[in-house]
Amino acid sequence: MTYYKSLNFFCSIFILVALLSSCSTAPEQEPEVTTETSDPNAFSLLEMTIPELQAKMDSGVLSSEQIVQLYLDRIKAIDEEGPQLNSVIEVNPDALEIARSMDAERAEGNIRGPMHGIPVMIKDNINTADKMMTTAGAAALHGNYAAEDAFLVKQLRASGAVLIGKTNLSEWANFRSTRSSSGWSSRGGQTRNPYVLDRNPCGSSAGSGAAVSANLCAVTVGTETNGSIVCPSTANGIVGIKPTVGLVSRSGVIPISFSQDIAGPMGRTVTDAAIFLGALVGVDEQDSKSLESEGNYETDYTKYLDANGLQGKKIGVWRSRFGFHEQVDAELEKALAAMEAQGAELIDLDEIIDNMNELWGPSGLILEYEFKDGVNKYLEGATPTTGVKSLADVIAYNEANEAQAMPFFKMEILQSSEARGDLTEKEYLNALKLVQNRARNGINNTMKKYNLDAIVAPTGGPAWCIDVINGDNFGGGSSSPAAWAGYPNISVPAGYVHGLPVGLSFFGTAWSEGELIRIAYAFEQATQLRKAPEFIDSVKF
């Protein structure tokens, strides 16, 4: 996620206008929901995993077309009506046709793999060469229809997955204002948290997190610069995998940072996320970082799904990330005890990066330089009806359309990015070297010193109240070292505080996704803490 104000996460979340004031703490009646019944969890595919959906299709109980239709009905009932989650920015008008073609292949005995016929959604900063726009949630990019699929979308389609829609996000992946509300975009409005509707879903992959948590599809794709996959994962009670930078191609994805951006799977279980990750990977010559994944990626991460995967593992506990919320600490202490009960050895760590606070400023500077460079390159080939072709054009559009584009907060980060030079500037090169070296050395040296298999820390605090006027109110987090280093990070549900989910993050060195999945899966199986959201109006006291 990307949140610029503390430079710890860069995340984005958005709120409905009806909730502009603040969270209500008074008891309220739970919302009426228009679904198959009045119960939003009386859904025939509720919490169904990818293997379970495949079993339904293999047995002939359900077709992909029928499954897609059920999810499309669910989107209408939960996202557009009922609780009005507002997590889906656009539905794919070709979804049922794609599903029928996958059913035809299955009938002929051609099953492409574990994603064949599975309904998925992706974040609206990822190009699709179809009838859906790609806008990063920005009104300035309205009408931008990509001429070519992003590489990861080509992989997704090749796997047989059915793309049923795009998810809302924090506009420009929350790289717009220092006072933004995560999950809000000028095109899509405010996404809400499915557990408690007046709470923030965190960002910037807010829609991806909320949609999969609410059972609007099987899995989603999010993108992260710093926390934008793991933060909405903890806030929405799901599993999110932020891979090593380069494991999944970024070509065709509206960028923030060449050195930190990465796309990854978000699902309700580690199994689903691992299956989907295998469908997204692959070497893309258009992304030089992707070339580094040659020999480091695997198309089947399910071989790491070992329920005994914590046995004999040495896990470093990043203690300085605790202490921001006593109830979060209590939940995570129970999670740590469960890991020990499964045979893991826990080793307390203080800091993993020396003088980490010195890196906030340089890390923000890196992103501003890289955002200007990357967005200008992307917009050269974009075709929005607004005519914007550069970051300067976006700024000018927003100024000319302030009521629509900037009704709640402005665009200080766009403006400060536009003022930066190019990527040959010594200021940028020095900052990049400083941050990457310190982050990578911090993680590598810590893991080597204690012979660790992973490092764990709280992913973040409970979801805060949606507030488009004052902006986000983050409570703790641990995403920055892995984000700065370009290393993998997995968040898994680890407990609840007043009904709001909190997650535990597992991170390690480059290309260690397999071992992290092994550890995360064993933790998940030992605890089984994920539960479906109930769409209540507000926290009850």
Side-chain angles (χ1 to χ4, degrees):
M1 94 192 139
T2 21
Y3 74 86
Y4 191 79
K5 47 189 97 172
S6 69
L7 293 172
N8 186 9
F9 303 99
F10 273 79
C11 72
S12 15
I13 309 171
F14 64 113
I15 345 173
L16 292 174
V17 174
L19 297 171
L20 292 182
S21 53
S22 63
C23 285
S24 168
T25 56
E28 297 179 6
Q29 292 185 352
E30 296 193 6
E32 293 185 3
V33 183
T34 305
T35 55
E36 297 171 14
T37 72
S38 60
D39 180 2
N41 286 335
F43 176 50
S44 58
L45 303 182
L46 189 74
E47 299 291 282
M48 202 165 283
T49 65
I50 290 173
E52 289 169 340
L53 290 171
Q54 286 294 351
K56 295 286 187 186
M57 290 186 283
D58 287 342
S59 66
V61 172
L62 287 173
S63 65
S64 176
E65 181 181 1
Q66 290 171 319
I67 291 170
V68 168
Q69 187 64 65
L70 285 168
Y71 279 122
L72 292 175
D73 292 344
R74 174 80 168 175
I75 289 169
K76 183 177 181 181
I78 298 295
D79 209 64
E80 300 172 12
E81 301 172 1
Q84 295 182 327
L85 199 60
N86 202 38
S87 63
V88 181
I89 203 167
E90 190 168 3
V91 169
N92 186 358
D94 297 326
L96 289 171
E97 181 181 345
I98 298 169
R100 284 191 287 270
S101 69
M102 291 301 105
D103 286 333
E105 288 189 15
R106 185 182 296 269
E108 294 172 357
N110 177 22
I111 299 176
R112 302 187 188 191
M115 291 301 300
H116 189 108
I118 300 295
V120 307
M121 286 194 278
I122 65 174
K123 190 174 176 179
D124 180 41
N125 59 348
I126 302 172
N127 280 351
T128 54
D130 53 22
K131 297 171 185 174
M132 294 187 290
M133 291 185 281
T134 304
T135 67
L141 293 191
H142 186 272
N144 180 42
Y145 291 94
E148 184 179 4
D149 282 338
F151 183 85
L152 74 86
V153 175
K154 293 177 183 178
Q155 299 294 87
L156 181 157
R157 296 194 199 276
S159 76
V162 180
L163 177 55
I164 66 171
K166 290 192 175 184
T167 56
N168 198 12
L169 68 160
S170 310
E171 186 172 319
W172 294 110
N174 207 28
F175 204 70
R176 201 193 92 175
S177 172
T178 58
R179 194 171 43 76
S180 63
S181 169
S182 290
W184 183 91
S185 71
S186 57
R187 180 185 171 210
Q190 178 67 50
T191 297
R192 302 204 279 176
N193 190 304
Y195 284 88
V196 181
L197 296 170
D198 63 3
R199 296 274 164 167
N200 200 295
C202 199
S204 64
S205 305
S208 293
V212 73
S213 182
N215 285 267
L216 304 187
C217 59
V219 282
T220 57
V221 176
T223 65
E224 175 164 327
T225 304
N226 187 338
S228 285
I229 289 175
V230 296
C231 183
S233 295
T234 185
N236 294 282
I238 61 167
V239 175
I241 301 179
K242 177 264 184 196
T244 304
V245 171
L247 190 70
V248 177
S249 167
R250 293 89 50 82
S251 66
V253 180
I254 298 175
I256 290 179
S257 167
F258 176 78
S259 62
Q260 290 181 208
D261 286 352
I262 189 66
M266 303 172 75
R268 292 180 292 273
T269 66
V270 175
T271 297
D272 284 355
I275 290 171
F276 199 24
L277 178 61
L280 297 173
V281 299
V283 175
D284 175 17
E285 293 183 358
Q286 295 184 60
D287 180 358
S288 60
K289 289 287 186 183
S290 174
L291 300 178
E292 298 172 13
S293 73
E294 183 71 63
N296 290 308
Y297 74 85
E298 301 183 52
T299 56
D300 181 10
Y301 286 93
T302 62
K303 64 185 181 182
Y304 295 103
L305 301 177
D306 177 6
N308 297 313
L310 279 165
Q311 185 68 42
K313 299 298 183 184
K314 297 182 73 172
I315 311 292
V317 182
W318 189 13
R319 283 292 175 186
S320 67
R321 296 296 96 182
F322 288 71
F324 59 83
H325 195 295
E326 70 283 352
Q327 289 172 295
V328 173
D329 287 354
E331 290 297 294
L332 295 191
E333 290 298 341
K334 289 188 285 186
L336 295 176
M339 294 172 66
E340 285 187 304
Q342 292 297 307
E345 177 186 353
L346 303 185
I347 299 170
D348 283 350
L349 309 173
D350 183 16
E351 291 294 346
I352 59 176
I353 300 175
D354 293 335
N355 301 313
M356 182 172 161
N357 288 341
E358 296 177 357
L359 302 183
W360 300 128
S363 69
L365 184 148
I366 292 165
L367 300 190
E368 289 182 352
Y369 270 99
E370 293 183 346
F371 179 72
K372 178 182 179 180
D373 178 77
V375 165
N376 281 337
K377 289 176 180 175
Y378 177 86
L379 291 176
E380 287 175 2
T383 57
T385 54
T386 56
V388 300
K389 302 297 288 185
S390 68
L391 179 56
D393 288 346
V394 172
I395 292 169
Y397 174 90
N398 288 349
E399 289 173 340
N401 299 273
E402 187 169 359
Q404 177 191 10
M406 302 189 295
F408 306 119
F409 46 86
K410 304 305 178 185
M411 54 176 176
E412 311 90 88
I413 301 173
L414 299 187
Q415 291 166 321
S416 58
S417 298
E418 174 60 22
R420 297 296 180 187
D422 61 33
L423 300 189
T424 64
E425 298 277 353
K426 285 187 177 180
E427 179 183 47
Y428 162 73
L429 296 172
N430 289 339
L432 181 64
K433 182 178 180 181
L434 171 70
V435 172
Q436 285 191 338
N437 285 349
R438 290 269 293 277
R440 291 171 181 174
N441 289 339
I443 295 173
N444 294 346
N445 293 341
T446 298
M447 295 193 70
K448 183 177 180 180
K449 178 179 179 180
Y450 298 102
N451 194 27
L452 300 177
D453 295 288
I455 298 172
V456 300
T459 308
W464 58 94
C465 293
I466 290 171
D467 187 348
V468 289
I469 297 172
N470 296 305
D472 292 334
N473 182 26
F474 291 98
S478 59
S479 65
S480 290
W484 292 338
Y487 289 175
N489 191 359
I490 302 178
S491 182
V492 181
Y496 296 85
V497 174
H498 295 294
L500 295 165
V502 292
L504 187 65
S505 280
F506 301 82
F507 60 96
T509 55
W511 319 113
S512 63
E513 283 81 5
E515 287 306 310
L516 293 178
I517 287 170
R518 187 193 306 276
I519 292 167
Y521 178 76
F523 170 74
E524 175 196 55
Q525 295 304 297
T527 55
Q528 296 290 322
L529 290 168
R530 158 75 188 177
K531 58 185 178 183
E534 296 183 354
F535 309 95
I536 67 173
D537 285 331
S538 187
V539 174
K540 311 292 185 184
F541 294 99

